[in-house]
Amino acid sequence: METGNDRARVFKEDGFAKVGQLLTADEVDTYREIYDRFLSGAIVSGDKRSDLGSHVGERDGGRENITQIMWPSALYPALREMPLHERALDMARELIGQDAVLDFDMLIHKDPHSDVATPWHQDMAYWIDLPDTRAASIWIALDDATPDNGCMWYVRGSHELPLRPHRPTSDGRNIECDGSENEPGATAVPLPAGHGVAHAGGTLHSSRGNTTDHTRRAYILNYRPAAMVALERAQGADHGLNENVRKVRNSDATTP
């Protein structure tokens, strides 16, 4: 059985690591019900809701190609008191240190047959420069995640290399960099519902479009050292809490 030390070692070496089951089947059902209220608009998201696949044009019916909702726990504060936030925080502290705190959370959803891939990117490209780059993004599957419906793909070891140059997508609403499932170290990480995988801020990743008959709901919680969250906020960086604009902010991601 993999121990916490094993997970922390794999996370440090590879830039990602499976974190096991974080939600029971009954808890998954509860989170799905809340998640679907976000998708239907019963919980209003306002400008926190956007389309990660907007560069391919609008879908019939006006639905997003890839629905992203930033800060669900700010829009629906009860989420903060539910099991996932506590368990994910414990996992983040195991992976990056006891000073880890929640920085932000988000939902990323792929409808059946939406078939739009998430552009390759490294999360750090979105973030301001920080002296301590420790971060853990914990990606939890609320449905069985497979390559065909959009499980995560990571490039092993990419977090140890310089950030790749990032650019705006063709419509200017998101960012992307060059990446491929065929490059060395590229690894798909299928997950059962309720299980999670964590990745570092510099880990190159993507996911395929959903070509199946089933939905793919994912909840992502991001953690970093408390001092770095305080530094971000002091510089006005809050990951879309006040202004949800997606652009390259890290200077290391702007230099070819």
Side-chain angles (χ1 to χ4, degrees), residues 4-16:
N5 287 338
D6 292 331
R7 277 192 297 265
R9 176 185 55 78
V10 171
F11 181 82
K12 182 177 181 179
E13 292 177 357
D14 292 349
F16 64 95

Side-chain angles (χ1 to χ4, degrees), residues 34-46 49 63 69:
I34 295 170
Y35 199 110
D36 289 347
R37 289 167 62 195
F38 277 103
L39 293 177
S40 71
I43 300 174
V44 177
S45 304
R49 182 168 179 157
R63 185 83 165 198
I69 298 174

Side-chain angles (χ1 to χ4, degrees), residues 16-34:
F16 64 95
K18 289 184 179 181
V19 297
Q21 185 175 11
L22 295 179
L23 296 172
T24 67
D26 287 344
E27 289 167 343
V28 166
D29 286 341
T30 299
Y31 278 90
R32 286 173 177 168
E33 188 274 333
I34 295 170

